[in-house]
Amino acid sequence: MNVILLGPPGAGKGTQAKRLTARFGIPQLSTGDILRKAAADGTPLGKKAKALMDAGKLVPDEIVNGIIDEALASGQAAKGFLLDGFPRTVPQATALDEMVQRRGTRIDRVVVLEVPTEVLVERLSGRATCPRCQTSYGKDSPPKRPGICDNDGEKLVVRPDDMPDRVRQRMLEYESKTALLTGYYKARGVVRPVNGVGTVDEVEKRIVQALQ
Ligand code: AMP
């Protein structure tokens, strides 16, 4: 099963992708996670992307297309994948179509997580993230020990792009470039809108239903 999780920043794509990965045994492919790791490791790719990411702007299509093509070529997604944060523009969606067609497969479902802006802003302003495993915590899903990741004991940090002015920029990027993708996939009958307001468990249940 090849699934895209679409939705604005703070909609819960990363959190839900991690849950669904555990449930279905297919990998989460997150361009944001991969870029943050590259930035932390100081690779040439990471250095190129970091300033744009910290400013809440999208990195160029060629960079993220290359990341996904490489991930698909590695064989880790042979049984399917959950894309989280990709595609984010129409050219990325076109490139993805080409990548999956080349491998004789297709996009089965596009889950669109719907969350009102005021809820997104509140979630992102209270969010802390593990720099190692990229798990996010918030008021609705706090870590067991304050400030410490449940998975690996790492100290949680606030992502630079979760600062209020960057959040506004990311919302603008979403509205002007990414929201169009629902229309892009609609004609294929694969789009499933899902209410993203509620507990992590509640939203997970709705997504699982939408995938059936
Ligand atoms: P995310 O973790 O998905 O919120 O992504 C964090 C940041 O990484 C974004 O604000 C962009 O700067 C960059 N990024 C991640 N995925 C993409 C993508 N598909 N296209 C362009 N930039 C991306």
Side-chain angles (χ1 to χ4, degrees):
M1 180 171 52
N2 298 331
V3 180
I4 296 173
L5 287 176
L6 262 187
K13 300 184 296 294
T15 301
Q16 292 298 336
K18 286 180 175 60
R19 288 284 187 105
L20 297 167
T21 283
R23 182 185 277 267
F24 294 114
I26 52 176
Q28 169 196 18
L29 303 181
S30 161
T31 38
D33 286 359
I34 294 167
L35 289 168
R36 270 186 295 280
K37 183 166 186 316
D41 292 346
T43 67
L45 167 75
K47 283 186 188 148
K48 214 167 166 182
K50 189 172 184 333
L52 288 165
M53 293 173 75
D54 286 355
K57 298 195 170 144
L58 294 187
V59 306
D61 291 335
E62 313 79 72
I63 293 186
V64 283
N65 291 348
I67 288 174
I68 294 299
D69 204 16
E70 224 171 79
L72 295 180
S74 74
Q76 58 172 309
K79 282 200 269 165
F81 54 74
L82 280 158
L83 282 171
D84 149 24
F86 182 93
R88 260 178 158 99
T89 65
V90 170
Q92 289 177 24
T94 316
L96 176 64
D97 277 339
E98 191 274 321
M99 289 177 222
V100 293
Q101 276 160 19
R102 189 159 19 101
R103 294 177 171 87
T105 176
R106 84 200 84 75
I107 300 300
D108 300 303
R109 287 279 181 270
V110 178
V111 172
V112 184
L113 285 174
E114 296 179 334
V115 180
T117 307
E118 59 275 17
V119 178
L120 297 172
V121 170
E122 192 181 323
R123 276 190 193 169
L124 291 172
S125 66
R127 180 160 93 165
T129 303
C130 173
R132 189 183 301 176
C133 73
Q134 310 278 345
T135 298
S136 286
Y137 298 89
K139 283 190 202 113
D140 299 338
S141 53
K144 293 193 181 90
R145 282 185 296 156
I148 304 291
C149 179
D150 292 348
N151 301 330
D152 50 31
E154 193 79 20
K155 205 163 165 244
L156 303 178
V157 296
V158 174
R159 276 171 46 176
D161 59 345
D162 280 347
M163 307 301 264
D165 56 328
R166 325 287 163 82
V167 166
R168 266 194 298 279
Q169 176 64 38
R170 287 162 66 204
M171 300 282 186
L172 285 176
E173 293 279 48
Y174 180 79
E175 279 153 23
S176 63
K177 295 172 186 158
T178 312
L180 304 169
L181 292 181
T182 310
Y184 180 90
Y185 289 110
K186 211 157 207 166
R188 302 185 197 177
V190 292
V191 174
R192 296 291 180 276
V194 169
N195 175 6
V197 180
T199 65
V200 175
D201 285 343
E202 284 164 352
V203 177
E204 184 187 1
K205 258 191 216 144
R206 290 180 204 139
I207 297 177
V208 170
Q209 261 172 7
L211 291 177
Q212 272 152 11

